[in-house]
């Protein structure tokens, strides 16, 4: 159990640092709330190295802590909806063993944006917000692919490190 708590701390710290770095990056393409999703690199690494339970714990704790540190209650609600839908989709796709990590990440990016837009529709009670979804879907694909490539490269390097031991 001690070993698990230790790597939880390391991965949570990495996720929070990436959340902070992401908050500093001006990334605006005309749609409010659009981000790169750097912390999903950590979620993907955990999903592929340790499994869905560990990835889910870090993802949820990171969303809550990052919301308190860098956001507000609404950012926690929106982020949690996106993170949970994204996680569910990625865990299910990974479980099939038919998709590579980049595809899993791209679907996760789409689902993250879908989760957030669905919460926005409920909060403001205006289904016309769904008109943003095609733009958010395209952004989710692009950022998801980039995050998937980054996670794949980290996993390759981690595998190379363990092979050399």
């Amino acid at each position: 159990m001690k070993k698990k708590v230790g790597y939880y701390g390391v991965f949570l710290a990495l996720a929070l640092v990436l959340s902070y770095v992401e908050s500093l990056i001006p990334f605006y393409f005309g749609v409010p709330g659009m981000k790169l999703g750097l912390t999903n690199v950590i979620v993907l690494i955990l999903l592929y190295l340790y499994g869905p339970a560990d990835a889910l714990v870090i993802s949820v704790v990171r969303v809550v802590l990052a919301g308190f540190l860098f956001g507000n209650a609404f950012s926690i609600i929106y982020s949690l909806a996106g993170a949970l839908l994204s996680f569910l989709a990625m865990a299910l796709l990974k479980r099939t063993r038919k998709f590579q990590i980049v595809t899993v990440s791209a679907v996760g990016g789409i689902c993250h944006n879908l989760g957030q837009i669905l919460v926005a529709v409920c909060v403001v009670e205006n289904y016309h917000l769904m008109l943003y979804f095609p733009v958010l879907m395209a952004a989710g694909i692009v950022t998801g692919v980039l995050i998937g490539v980054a996670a794949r490269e980290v996993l390759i390097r981690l595998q190379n490190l363990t092979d050399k031991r």
Side-chain angles (χ1 to χ4, degrees):
M1 182 64 178
K2 273 188 174 180
K3 189 173 185 180
K4 188 175 259 196
V5 171
Y7 79 76
Y8 272 13
V10 169
F11 282 110
L12 181 58
L14 285 170
L16 286 170
V17 167
L18 289 175
S19 288
Y20 178 68
V21 168
E22 189 169 55
S23 74
L24 299 175
I25 298 172
F27 186 75
Y28 183 73
F29 288 106
V31 179
M34 193 181 304
K35 294 182 180 180
L36 292 171
L38 294 175
T39 56
N40 283 331
V41 171
I42 303 302
V43 174
L44 282 165
I45 290 168
L46 282 164
L47 185 61
Y48 277 80
L49 280 182
Y50 298 108
D54 295 336
L56 180 61
V57 167
I58 296 301
S59 183
V60 170
V61 173
R62 193 267 323 157
V63 166
V64 173
L65 287 176
F68 284 123
L69 292 170
F70 317 121
N72 55 46
F74 281 110
S75 68
I76 294 172
I77 293 167
Y78 286 106
S79 294
L80 201 53
L84 290 174
L85 188 57
S86 172
F87 173 79
L88 179 65
M90 291 189 303
L92 290 173
L93 286 181
K94 182 194 177 283
R95 188 173 185 176
T96 68
R97 299 178 189 256
K98 295 180 181 180
F99 301 96
Q100 294 181 5
I101 191 169
V102 175
T103 305
V104 169
S105 179
V107 171
I110 294 167
C111 289
H112 187 90
N113 290 338
L114 178 60
Q116 289 188 327
I117 198 91
L118 289 174
V119 167
V121 165
C122 292
V123 168
V124 300
E125 298 178 355
N126 185 345
Y127 69 90
H128 287 99
L129 288 176
M130 289 302 293
L131 294 172
Y132 285 122
F133 185 64
V135 174
L136 291 174
M137 185 172 72
I141 291 169
V142 171
T143 58
V145 166
L146 293 173
I147 295 304
V149 168
R152 181 188 66 202
E153 293 303 314
V154 169
L155 287 170
I156 289 169
R157 280 154 181 77
L158 287 174
Q159 183 65 41
N160 288 341
L161 283 174
T162 58
D163 288 346
K164 290 180 182 177
R165 287 184 178 191

